[in-house]
Amino acid sequence: MSPVHNAGVPTLIGSVQRALRLLEAAGSHSGGAPAKQLAREAGLPLPTAYHLLRTLTHEGYLRRVGGVFVLGEAAERLARGGLQQKRRSMILDSLAYFRDTVGAPVYFAVYREGEIEVVGVSDTPASPACEEWADFRETGHAHAIGQCLLGQLDEKTRKDYYDRHPVEAITPYTVRDLRSLESRIGALGRMQPVIERQEYALGTICAAIPIAAGDTVATMAISLPLHQEERLLYVVNRLRSEVGALLSTLSFSISI
């Protein structure tokens, strides 16, 4: 007779379960452990454990060093991926808090490996974020996020960015040339908010504040529709005060 399968019960692969138990056992010993000890801790017969350990070693999840098994590069990549997800989750949770507190879409961006990277955005249907109609990475001169990040760089690093992403108008209000942009950046005070009006998107105003977190060049920003311009200074000042209160948490998770 054909076996009866219960649709509500998942199909479990025993060999995968046993391999995972071995990995957990190996991961609990920073200096490694021999096969017999890992088999005992995983509750497996020694021949089964040997077979799985050879497979896990071949795939890079374990390494055999001096008769003991330690986690390999593949397992370490998984761990790094999990840490990265945790950090990203912490940032997104923080952005949602700031969004609800200031009542506006909130953005978090960094300058990494020569490019502007928007790490996270938090908005609501009632207050949607600005649509990225022109690549944020290539139009740093035109939006508050980019101008704030560029203002934290040294002249040589900024020049490298300009060489790859030339200054050009994308709306009638965009800064017209490199000299004008550099003059604006040079006039910014340390930790001063950057404000732009319709330079990136018509009908939208934005403000960005620099974030000091070690060597990371970062910023948080908000956007508002033009008809709410009277709220801009209140919102950006509220954001600055809230970020200051939670900067230690944000700094911990900033380098994702």
Side-chain angles (χ1 to χ4, degrees):
M1 295 178 62
S2 299
V4 176
H5 296 283
N6 187 334
V9 178
T11 300
L12 303 179
I13 308 301
S15 58
V16 175
Q17 292 177 305
R18 291 187 286 272
L20 291 173
R21 290 205 297 271
L22 280 174
L23 278 176
E24 290 173 350
S28 67
H29 300 281
S30 59
K36 289 183 179 180
Q37 182 177 355
L38 295 177
R40 182 172 63 253
E41 293 177 2
L44 300 176
L46 188 57
T48 300
Y50 272 128
H51 175 70
L52 292 172
L53 289 170
R54 283 195 298 269
T55 303
L56 290 168
T57 301
H58 179 268
E59 296 298 327
Y61 289 94
L62 292 175
R63 290 185 297 118
R64 189 169 187 177
V65 181
V68 299
F69 290 89
V70 297
L71 294 180
E73 291 185 4
E76 292 169 357
R77 285 196 299 271
L78 285 176
R80 287 195 297 269
L83 179 59
Q84 187 177 53
Q85 289 180 346
K86 180 179 179 180
R87 288 173 173 170
R88 180 175 290 275
S89 177
M90 290 176 66
I91 286 179
L92 293 178
D93 288 346
S94 296
L95 292 183
Y97 169 80
F98 295 136
R99 175 204 68 204
D100 293 341
T101 300
V102 304
V106 178
Y107 310 74
F108 177 68
V110 297
Y111 191 84
R112 182 156 46 202
E113 298 180 356
E115 298 294 349
I116 292 167
E117 179 182 342
V118 178
V119 177
V121 180
S122 187
D123 63 355
T124 65
S127 299
C130 178
E131 181 182 355
E132 186 180 359
W133 71 274
D135 194 329
F136 279 144
R137 294 171 298 179
E138 299 177 1
T139 56
H141 64 281
H143 48 73
I145 288 173
Q147 292 174 20
C148 188
L149 292 174
L150 292 170
Q152 298 177 66
L153 304 176
D154 57 56
E155 291 185 11
K156 180 179 179 181
T157 307
R158 283 204 306 273
K159 183 179 184 303
D160 172 71
Y161 178 84
Y162 298 144
D163 288 343
R164 290 177 290 109
H165 306 301
V167 175
E168 59 184 12
I170 60 174
T171 80
Y173 302 94
T174 307
V175 63
R176 292 297 176 179
D177 52 53
L178 180 56
R179 178 178 295 182
S180 299
L181 177 62
E182 280 289 283
S183 177
R184 179 188 298 182
I185 287 175
L188 290 173
R190 187 175 182 275
M191 306 307 289
Q192 180 181 345
V194 176
I195 296 174
E196 59 92 353
R197 294 171 172 83
Q198 303 190 89
E199 295 183 47
Y200 175 79
L202 294 177
T204 301
I205 55 176
C206 299
I209 58 174
I211 300 294
D215 295 330
T216 302
V217 175
T219 182
M220 290 189 68
I222 58 93
S223 64
L224 291 171
L226 184 61
H227 68 269
Q228 295 184 19
E229 183 171 7
E230 73 280 357
R231 294 184 57 219
L232 184 66
L233 290 180
Y234 166 79
V235 171
V236 73
N237 287 333
R238 182 70 187 274
L239 179 63
R240 290 177 73 182
S241 65
E242 292 294 335
V243 169
L246 291 180
L247 187 58
S248 60
T249 299
L250 189 62
S251 298
F252 174 76
S253 57
I254 202 169
S255 57
I256 66 173

